[in-house]
Amino acid sequence: MDKFLNKSCLVVTQDGRVITGTLKGVDQTCNLILSNSMERVFSSQAGVETLPLGLYIIRGDNVAVVGQVDEEVDQGIDVSELRAAPLNPVVY
């Protein structure tokens, strides 16, 4: 995870939320600190709504997936035109 520090990342949480931001910190239990974070709320009827969150902490036990975002590609996508069903929560 240290290779993602100070880079743009996308986090999918256990409850299906999608949060993007700059990874500022991580610890041994995978607690994450994101700056300039935004939540992307997906809808099959309307485009993706982007909600600003600012500095955001995600508990490690709520993290499902973390990935680095290619900022060039991400900026070229008009997310307000995307249609997709929201993700379902992770079920064990």
Side-chain angles (χ1 to χ4, degrees), residues 16-58:
R17 295 171 61 199
V18 177
I19 300 169
T20 63
T22 304
L23 184 63
K24 290 297 187 179
V26 63
D27 66 9
Q28 66 274 11
T29 60
C30 202
N31 293 318
L32 305 177
I33 301 172
L34 297 173
S35 67
N36 303 319
S37 61
M38 294 180 281
E39 181 177 357
R40 293 182 179 172
V41 181
F42 291 85
S43 169
S44 51
Q45 279 74 37
V48 175
E49 183 181 0
T50 304
L51 305 174
L53 301 173
L55 187 64
Y56 202 72
I57 298 172
I58 304 173

